[in-house]
Amino acid sequence: MSVLTKKQIGIRLAEEKWDRRLVITPLLDESQVGTSSVDLRLGREFVVIRRANMPAVDPMERENAEVERRRFEDRISLGWGEQFFLHRGQFVLGSTLEYIKLPNDFAAYVTSRSSWGRVGLVIATAIAVAPGYRGIITFELTNLGNAPMALRPGVRIAQIVFHRAEDGQSYEGKYRCPTRPEHGKIYLDDDIAYWCKS
């Protein structure tokens, strides 16, 4: 697997042919493009699951899945300069500020910036981004530290690393063009009904 360099990333960001162009928008500062990755910023919206009155999370439950999930979640949108306090052991969903479009010959993975990892922040437990993906990227944010952690929208929190994908097949998965943090959609897996039989 060959990782793309800064020069290769720059060429594809400027590509004239739409189907071959890599899109990362807004790209607020040229310094976000590093030697082999692009820094991603934290978006303004967070999804927090309420602990009270919730017997269990069943990600495989199909019936009324979205309606049920909304009953137990709070969506929080922050203004620029505001803070979100992620408590010790807390898990919330966030997202990139940037909208990403990968060409069909690129795949990527997203990982924490080491500076955040060193204070105990985990930003992703599912890091692969498929060729042809379009949308924001949802972060699975967890504080592994010993004290609450202040997060601010717009701050560089993650990095995306690109590599070539040879067969050029486009993403056809469950998360098409999201514009806000999204819950998992395990209940849409084709074989879930079989494994959840009573």
Side-chain angles (χ1 to χ4, degrees):
M1 175 175 70
S2 129
V3 171
L4 270 65
T5 64
K6 181 174 186 173
K7 181 179 179 181
Q8 292 168 320
I9 293 168
I11 288 169
R12 293 304 284 272
L13 285 169
E15 172 65 53
E16 289 185 16
K17 293 182 181 174
W18 177 250
D19 63 330
R20 291 185 47 80
R21 184 183 305 164
L22 169 64
V23 175
I24 304 172
T25 186
L27 198 55
L28 299 178
D29 193 308
E30 288 180 11
S31 69
Q32 281 179 251
V33 182
T35 55
S36 60
S37 64
V38 177
D39 288 344
L40 298 175
R41 298 176 186 275
L42 183 62
R44 296 176 52 224
E45 188 169 342
F46 299 87
V47 179
V48 180
I49 305 301
R50 284 184 239 126
R51 294 182 187 202
N53 302 321
M54 189 167 157
V57 174
D58 184 354
M60 293 165 283
E61 178 60 49
R62 284 176 173 258
E63 193 170 328
N64 301 318
E66 295 298 325
V67 173
E68 281 298 304
R69 193 167 280 138
R70 280 194 286 273
R71 284 182 53 215
F72 297 111
E73 75 176 26
D74 291 316
R75 284 193 176 261
I76 300 167
S77 292
L78 299 182
W80 303 115
E82 293 185 328
Q83 298 176 64
F84 179 88
F85 290 98
L86 186 65
H87 294 276
R88 176 183 177 187
Q90 186 179 17
F91 174 84
V92 302
L93 298 177
S95 68
T96 57
L97 174 65
E98 297 85 0
Y99 176 94
I100 312 284
K101 180 191 86 69
L102 294 187
N104 288 350
D105 63 336
F106 277 17
Y109 58 90
V110 178
T111 185
S112 301
R113 292 184 68 212
S114 64
S115 298
W116 283 99
R118 293 174 197 199
V119 294
L121 181 68
V122 174
I123 61 99
T125 51
I127 62 171
V129 186
Y133 177 83
R134 297 176 184 202
I136 59 97
I137 295 172
T138 295
F139 292 137
E140 299 98 12
L141 300 167
T142 304
N143 178 359
L144 299 180
N146 293 320
M149 184 181 301
L151 303 177
R152 292 175 177 83
V155 171
R156 299 182 200 194
I157 202 167
Q159 55 189 334
I160 187 167
V161 178
F162 303 98
H163 56 91
R164 297 206 183 278
E166 298 302 325
D167 66 4
Q169 292 198 7
S170 187
Y171 177 73
E172 295 294 331
K174 303 174 221 150
Y175 307 101
R176 293 192 191 132
C177 291
T179 57
R180 59 196 305 205
E182 289 190 344
H183 282 286
K185 297 180 180 178
I186 297 168
Y187 60 90
L188 293 178
D189 287 356
D190 293 337
D191 62 348
I192 282 296
Y194 175 81
W195 295 107
C196 294
K197 287 190 289 193
S198 299

